[in-house]
Amino acid sequence: NRKAHKEVDQISVASSDDDDDVVSICSVCSVCSSSGGASRGGAQELSDVEAPSPPTPSRALALVAGVDDSDAHPQLVDDEAPSPGTPSRAPAMTDGDDDSDAERKLPTPALRRKLNSSNPEAAEFQFTTAGVLIDVELLRGCTAPAVTVSRQVAQILAGGSSPSTARILRRGRVVPVDAFEQCKLRLPPGRGGAPDVRSKGRLLVCGGAFFNFILRQWQASSGLSTYLPGRTVLYCAFRPRGSTLFVKVGFRALGQSADAAILRYIEKKSQELQITNLPGAGIFVMPLPTDHAQLVDPARAAEASLKAALQSSTLLAAVPSGHRAEVTSFSHSLEYFFVTARTPGQSPLQALTDVLRGFTGDCELNPRRAVAAPRGSG
């Protein structure tokens, strides 16, 4: 074989979609996705060659092969760069990847005693607040998802306010927080709902309540998500159509959901973009450009910039289309395109990758494939 495949590393995370789907994110070799002729879950050459290289068996490919779509969960899979000659790289670590105690910085026994003291000294606790988060100096550098504190310490951090003042909904009744509930300093949720170990601040929680440092009062945790920063991304979904790619571009607000939450939205928008388990099909997920952050509507402005970048590119030709992949009409919003490469010998996906890397400034931006894993496979 002219190109060698490398073993796939797979990381499982939980999807935030309504059906509790399982999401797999893994890095795949640079030739593991192309159009036409592949068995379900198989890998093919992306560059223009006469015959694709057969895939080397691996954990992730074994999960993909032979999937029955009628009894499967949608998933999202990371691909390596399609352009030849790109150096391979290790999969990027995501929030909560490493759960080993050796890597975590846990509170020392002395610190735990201080945080759980029933007669603490207020002067011992130096902290700052930002929104609903509190940055306790004693816990800086600690990556434990949650650290238990006594009610007395919690009241010091909350300016004397007791958790029992909170009212929460339980079994159809509005009740105060139970006196036996533990108070904790918890890391806020990050990508996919996993604890954000990079966060400098923590949430002060007790049972079903959290302390809102903006309002200076305890509040039911059911309203917490409205105070946490959301996440909006750009996407470019694609599927092969002969020698071209049919693509859709846009933006999507994910909140704390994993990237795979985009899949159902896209597949509902267009029957022509049913990309799950389709060889050669996939999606790029990109953050909003930082230079758009100060605009009135950064997401919509970024979407417009991305569409302009595709239509004015010297690397590919983007012909407008509609959600049914029409060739005689196109969407007024210009979100669907047929894409071909302008450079001889370059595949449409290689050209699309180069354009998106130039747009985002991320030279390691890679496409992802949507695959299905059997139910109960973990």
Side-chain angles (χ1 to χ4, degrees):
N1 296 333
R2 290 185 294 173
K3 294 196 176 182
H5 289 247
K6 66 180 182 179
E7 184 173 335
V8 177
D9 295 322
Q10 180 163 310
I11 304 168
S12 293
V13 298
S15 169
S16 61
D17 283 346
D18 295 336
D19 292 341
D20 296 328
D21 296 335
V22 175
V23 181
S24 292
I25 298 181
C26 55
S27 292
V28 189
C29 67
S30 62
V31 293
C32 277
S33 180
S34 72
S35 59
S39 60
R40 187 172 297 275
Q44 286 191 305
E45 194 84 32
L46 285 178
S47 55
D48 297 332
V49 293
E50 296 179 1
S53 302
T56 302
S58 61
R59 291 185 291 116
L61 294 181
L63 283 176
V64 176
V67 169
D68 182 311
D69 288 344
S70 62
D71 190 32
H73 293 292
Q75 302 178 20
L76 198 60
V77 176
D78 238 2
D79 276 0
E80 283 286 349
S83 52
T86 302
S88 60
R89 61 183 178 89
M93 295 293 289
T94 58
D95 295 344
D97 279 344
D98 193 345
D99 290 333
S100 65
D101 289 343
E103 293 295 330
R104 281 184 179 172
K105 295 181 180 179
L106 303 178
T108 63
L111 178 54
R112 288 183 184 275
R113 287 193 296 271
K114 184 176 293 188
L115 292 172
N116 286 277
S117 172
S118 59
N119 189 26
E121 293 290 337
E124 293 180 341
F125 300 97
Q126 302 297 320
F127 60 87
T128 58
T129 62
V132 296
L133 300 180
I134 180 171
D135 179 12
V136 181
E137 185 176 348
L138 292 173
L139 288 177
R140 285 178 183 170
C142 175
T143 57
V147 178
T148 302
V149 299
S150 67
R151 286 216 169 197
Q152 291 80 4
V153 170
Q155 284 191 222
I156 289 176
L157 300 178
S161 179
S162 171
S164 60
T165 61
R167 295 294 184 268
I168 61 175
L169 184 63
R170 180 173 294 168
R171 296 179 181 177
R173 299 179 60 188
V174 178
V175 297
V177 175
D178 289 336
F180 61 82
E181 292 283 4
Q182 284 187 324
C183 296
K184 297 180 180 181
L185 288 168
R186 178 171 293 156
L187 288 173
R191 178 177 174 179
D196 183 4
V197 296
R198 299 176 180 86
S199 174
K200 294 182 179 180
R202 289 175 176 263
L203 297 164
L204 177 58
V205 300
C206 184
F210 74 99
F211 188 75
N212 188 331
F213 292 96
I214 302 173
L215 300 178
R216 305 299 299 174
Q217 69 180 45
W218 291 89
Q219 190 172 338
S221 295
S222 57
L224 176 60
S225 61
T226 59
Y227 293 95
L228 295 174
R231 188 167 64 98
T232 302
V233 297
L234 291 172
Y235 65 84
C236 178
F238 61 89
R239 65 161 293 173
R241 296 275 296 192
S243 60
T244 69
L245 288 180
F246 178 59
V247 308
K248 180 188 185 304
V249 297
F251 69 90
R252 187 71 174 164
L254 295 179
Q256 281 78 47
S257 301
D259 291 346
I262 303 176
L263 288 177
R264 288 187 177 180
Y265 168 75
I266 292 174
E267 293 187 336
K268 286 179 180 179
K269 287 281 286 185
S270 172
Q271 287 295 320
E272 296 297 324
L273 284 170
Q274 304 299 305
I275 61 178
T276 301
N277 278 357
L278 182 66
I283 185 173
F284 291 87
V285 181
M286 302 157 282
L288 300 183
T290 56
D291 53 7
H292 285 53
Q294 302 304 317
L295 301 177
V296 175
D297 192 341
R300 199 167 298 280
E303 179 189 37
S305 297
L306 177 57
K307 293 174 182 177
L310 291 177
Q311 295 178 84
S312 62
S313 173
T314 59
L315 300 177
L316 57 78
V319 178
S321 181
H323 70 282
R324 296 188 179 90
E326 304 97 326
V327 293
T328 57
S329 61
F330 57 86
S331 167
H332 176 72
S333 59
L334 293 177
E335 56 186 323
Y336 299 94
F337 297 93
F338 283 107
V339 168
T340 57
R342 294 185 185 273
T343 304
Q346 189 178 40
S347 73
L349 183 54
Q350 289 170 341
L352 181 61
T353 301
D354 288 343
V355 171
L356 296 180
R357 285 181 171 181
F359 177 80
T360 61
D362 181 3
C363 64
E364 294 187 341
L365 177 66
N366 297 320
R368 295 177 175 181
R369 291 179 294 127
V371 299
R375 295 184 191 275
S377 64

